[in-house]
Amino acid sequence: MLPFLLRTKVFALSLLLCSSSIYVASGESCGCSSLVIPVHVDVLIPKDPADPFGGLKSNASNLRRLDETYGVFGVFCQPNIVSPKSADAIQLLVHGFSYSNQYWSPPTEEFRNHSYTGFACNRGLSSLAIDLVGVGLSTRPVNASDVQYATNAAAVSQLAVTSRLLEGAQSPFDGFILTGELIVEPGAPIPGPATTARDDTPLRWGDLDPDYVTTSNRSMFYPLDPTSFSPRMLTFDNFTKDVGSLATGLQVGATSLRTHYTGPVAKVVGSEDQLFCAGTGRCADVAVLTAAERFLWREARSFDVFVAQGSGHDLNLDFFAEGPFNTFVDLVEQFTGV
Ligand SMILES: *[C@@H]1O[C@H](CO)[C@@H](O)[C@H](O)[C@H]1NC(C)=O
Ligand SMILES: *[C@@H]1O[C@H](CO)[C@@H](O)[C@H](O)[C@H]1NC(C)=O
Ligand SMILES: *[C@@H]1O[C@H](CO)[C@@H](O)[C@H](O)[C@H]1NC(C)=O
Ligand SMILES: *[C@@H]1O[C@H](CO)[C@@H](O)[C@H](O)[C@H]1NC(C)=O
Ligand SMILES: *[C@@H]1O[C@H](CO)[C@@H](O)[C@H](O)[C@H]1NC(C)=O
């Protein structure tokens, strides 16, 4: 789960609201609309989609150019009473592997209190939760090998640049909050087993390139302790899951390269995250963990790691969600100076 945070002006955002079927995800305090934003991607990606560094360490002969325009689907939500603090900050919410924008606001009354979108709205913060390229209602390239790390990095950055009307090389992001994610060894397999999507759910995905994959057994995204989450959440998760490209799974090591980003960065991970923490001892000492993770973000203005006690990998979907939700909002307020 990688939510990105950016800051913009409301007028710039309203330019984006080309379609506005109303989709009320989060109750009376929040107005939401869905939209499709055309995003132009012109990027070099590895010819070999299994490149563990996603092309970031490749020379030109190993890269190919991808020049496409994709429709990126998103749900934009803003508080009905726009307070000053919500006026110029937008949270760009990005889901993780085999999820979609619905991760940020499960569209069912029963799980209303698992909606981070609604929680943030109640605290006066706007958000745009998107489907990554290849996922949900965004464009799904026929050839899954077009969906690589650089493809989505370019799409998400372009989206942020467009909404801020920026020029030049400045990062469009005022800060990053990275959730359910710690350093992985380059070349390590996708955390958790992946299944070919068309074999997993033929009725829904029977026509897809076999390099679109999904996760059949979702248990690893929840704490081991079955009393930590609703069994109905697991069922709901199974029915609303999505696909990802095999390449983005194989390239997860691209997230563990050093960056030159200079804004504020935080990571939030659950103590019971079966992919990164539970049973490893890795998350027991927050100071040690922070020092290890900071290595990648040496130039960041600030860098903190938060270990959410009791939470699993999907911080939003178990009974401990309120803890991380408060952490996210506090960080956004801190990062945007409101
Ligand atoms: C580019 O990479 C290939 C394969 O890794 C290597 O054989 C080749 O020598 C490299 N070329 C340059 C100019 O570095
Ligand atoms: C997908 O695109 C790559 C690069 O152009 C090509 O090598 C591969 O054969 C394509 N795969 C399919 C299934 O068309
Ligand atoms: C999913 O995996 C867990 C172990 O991680 C196992 O206990 C459970 O039985 C599996 N569920 C299904 C439906 O296969
Ligand atoms: C997941 O959903 C599929 C239908 O999409 C169903 O066949 C399968 O039994 C479900 N698995 C679990 C563990 O609920
Ligand atoms: C949501 O509400 C249900 C029922 O009231 C409760 O069991 C659950 O702990 C709540 N979840 C969160 C994240 O607050």
Side-chain angles (χ1 to χ4, degrees), residues 200-201 204 216-218 234-241:
D200 180 89
T201 315
R204 196 173 162 200
S216 297
N217 183 337
R218 321 282 295 170
L234 201 52
T235 306
F236 176 79
D237 182 325
N238 177 50
F239 281 110
T240 56
K241 73 185 180 190

Side-chain angles (χ1 to χ4, degrees), residues 110-174:
E110 179 183 2
F111 300 132
R112 184 179 179 140
N113 62 352
H114 292 274
S115 168
Y116 176 64
T117 302
F119 186 92
C121 251
N122 286 335
R123 301 273 297 261
L125 294 172
S126 306
S127 60
L128 173 64
I130 61 159
D131 287 343
L132 289 170
V133 174
V135 174
L137 296 175
S138 291
T139 305
R140 177 174 294 139
V142 171
N143 189 328
S145 73
D146 286 352
V147 185
Q148 302 203 24
Y149 244 91
T151 313
N152 273 317
V156 170
S157 298
Q158 197 54 44
L159 193 60
V161 167
T162 309
S163 61
R164 297 188 66 164
L165 308 175
L166 281 182
E167 287 168 30
Q170 182 195 352
S171 170
F173 299 104
D174 281 296

Side-chain angles (χ1 to χ4, degrees), residues 57-128:
K57 291 192 165 189
S58 301
N59 62 35
S61 62
N62 299 325
L63 298 171
R64 66 181 172 96
R65 184 174 177 192
L66 181 75
D67 182 0
E68 296 283 350
T69 298
Y70 298 119
V72 171
F73 176 83
V75 179
F76 174 67
C77 292
Q78 64 182 341
N80 282 338
I81 299 165
V82 180
S83 65
K85 74 176 170 184
S86 68
D88 69 350
I90 297 173
Q91 302 170 88
L92 179 51
L93 305 176
V94 180
H95 60 83
F97 198 76
S98 75
Y99 284 87
S100 71
N101 80 84
Q102 296 187 359
Y103 173 75
W104 296 103
S105 189
T108 162
E109 182 59 29
E110 179 183 2
F111 300 132
R112 184 179 179 140
N113 62 352
H114 292 274
S115 168
Y116 176 64
T117 302
F119 186 92
C121 251
N122 286 335
R123 301 273 297 261
L125 294 172
S126 306
S127 60
L128 173 64

Side-chain angles (χ1 to χ4, degrees), residues 17 23 26 65 77 90-91 103 109 121 126 136 144 154-155 163 173 176 194 209 222-223 257 276 288 290 307 329:
L17 295 174
Y23 169 107
S26 335
R65 184 174 177 192
C77 292
I90 297 173
Q91 302 170 88
Y103 173 75
E109 182 59 29
C121 251
S126 306
S163 61
F173 299 104
F176 288 102
D209 179 336
Y222 295 80
L257 296 173
F276 291 101
V288 170
T290 304
V307 177
V329 167

Side-chain angles (χ1 to χ4, degrees), residues 304-323:
D304 291 291
V305 177
F306 298 83
V307 177
Q309 292 306 314
S311 295
H313 183 67
D314 287 356
L315 295 165
N316 297 6
L317 304 185
D318 58 41
F319 293 145
F320 300 94
E322 211 181 316

Side-chain angles (χ1 to χ4, degrees), residues 97 144-148 190 211-213 243-250:
F97 198 76
S145 73
D146 286 352
V147 185
Q148 302 203 24
I190 302 176
D211 283 348
Y212 280 112
V213 296
V243 301
S245 74
L246 182 60
T248 50
L250 297 172

